Amino acid sequence: MSPTRRAAIGALLAAPLALTGAPRPAAAQTAITIQHALPPNSHYGVGAVAFRDTIDRAAPGRFRVTIQRNDNEREMIESVQIGTVDCTITSTGPVGNFVPETRVFDVPFLFRDYAHARGVLDSEIGQGVLQRFQARGLYGVVWMENGFRHLTNSRREVHTPEDIRGLKVRTMENQVHMRAFSTLGALPTPMAFSELVPALQQGTVDGQENPIPVIVANNLNQVQRYLTLTAHVYSPAVLICNPGLVNRLNAQDRAAFMEAARAAQRANRDKVSADDANGVEELRRRGMTVTTQVDTARFQQALAAAFTVYERELDGALLRRIRDWRPAGG
Ligand code: EAX
């Protein structure tokens, strides 16, 4: 059938609808479910809301974003991989089990401060690692943030590496972190976030480590007495989506999607900075005993054996590049 003839018939068919004033069928909306492990007012929650509000503004009516809570990050990543969940905001805790190239970012004392970490993740180093997600059936959209992790426990004040010896410490399901704590003489117990509070309440573990925003948002002060500001590792987070969802978007929708992802990153990082600035005082006010004077150099010395393994088993050259990274002109 000739194109002109097809167009004529199309117009004919549309005519009655126009005449009747019936609303034109809305172009198919793209539904996006975003899951994350933390409360709505947390640094992940505000990121997810910024994503939803920005995509609604950038592409009105094109997307329907639903935000859900699920405190098992490994499960969420698996669901995104098989496509039963569209996107997740997750720490890199269990991500290394899916995308091993991310493990370099989990090495303790690798990043000097937030500017260093954010700079590296936004640089070609971080973007290069995001590219590796697709080969694993995942789409790494944008780096987000969990924050610098600190140790809490219910047994004793911790000032030195020696004070950690013998403590049963919950870690994420992360080999790099587990090696660090076993090297310090602690007993690392990997478990999903969903199991953390019951394990602390029942004494299955004595302690755990998380950024201030997570400790505050989840009231971990109710099950932990001592907080030590070890800042022993920077905990990146990442917005991961199902590749099928992203690859189906047309150019206009993809642009709106990426604009929303960048807005989510900004809102998330701003919230981490705010919680980090106010959270320690808040936890003190809630009754935690806070140790601020921590001899970081002694912790790094105590981890020497672990660093040797990281250099060998992870990408040693990349680790050195990250350590030496400076902002342009810096
Ligand atoms: O990503 O599991 C953890 O301790 C994480 O920090 C938490 O799920 C937020």
Side-chain angles (χ1 to χ4, degrees), residues 104-125:
V104 282
F105 299 137
D106 294 326
V107 168
F109 301 108
L110 178 63
F111 295 108
R112 296 178 296 274
D113 51 33
Y114 281 106
H116 181 198
R118 294 170 182 176
V120 165
L121 292 173
D122 295 347
S123 76
E124 76 285 355
I125 296 174

Side-chain angles (χ1 to χ4, degrees), residues 50-66:
F51 181 93
R52 182 195 62 201
D53 296 353
T54 304
I55 210 165
D56 281 349
R57 253 196 320 277
R62 303 283 300 160
F63 292 90
R64 193 176 62 254
V65 176
T66 309

Side-chain angles (χ1 to χ4, degrees), residues 32 37-38 45 58 91 121 129 138 154 163-164 169 171 175 191 210 214 234 271 279-280 286 297 302 307 313 324:
I32 299 181
L38 299 177
S91 76
L121 292 173
V129 173
L138 296 163
S154 55
D163 296 335
I164 289 186
V169 176
T171 68
Q175 295 167 14
M191 63 179 77
N210 249 298
V214 173
Y234 173 81
K271 184 76 166 91
V280 174
R286 295 181 188 180
F307 289 133
E313 293 185 358
D324 300 342

Side-chain angles (χ1 to χ4, degrees), residues 37-38 44 73 91 146 149 170 172 193 210:
L38 299 177
Y44 291 175
E73 292 186 331
S91 76
N146 197 9
R149 302 177 79 90
R170 176 267 177 179
M172 296 189 288
F193 193 65
N210 249 298

Side-chain angles (χ1 to χ4, degrees), residues 153-158 162-167 226 228:
N153 84 92
S154 55
R155 299 274 299 277
R156 57 178 172 261
E157 284 191 41
V158 169
E162 292 70 34
D163 296 335
I164 289 186
R165 277 209 197 115
L167 281 183
Y226 303 103
T228 304

Side-chain angles (χ1 to χ4, degrees), residues 151-205:
L151 181 75
T152 67
N153 84 92
S154 55
R155 299 274 299 277
R156 57 178 172 261
E157 284 191 41
V158 169
H159 298 268
T160 67
E162 292 70 34
D163 296 335
I164 289 186
R165 277 209 197 115
L167 281 183
K168 289 179 286 180
V169 176
R170 176 267 177 179
T171 68
M172 296 189 288
E173 296 154 297
N174 184 293
Q175 295 167 14
V176 176
H177 291 182
M178 290 164 65
R179 176 176 295 284
F181 280 98
S182 55
T183 303
L184 293 173
L187 305 163
T189 308
M191 63 179 77
F193 193 65
S194 50
E195 300 160 54
L196 176 57
V197 170
L200 291 169
Q201 284 167 331
Q202 291 146 21
T204 316
V205 290

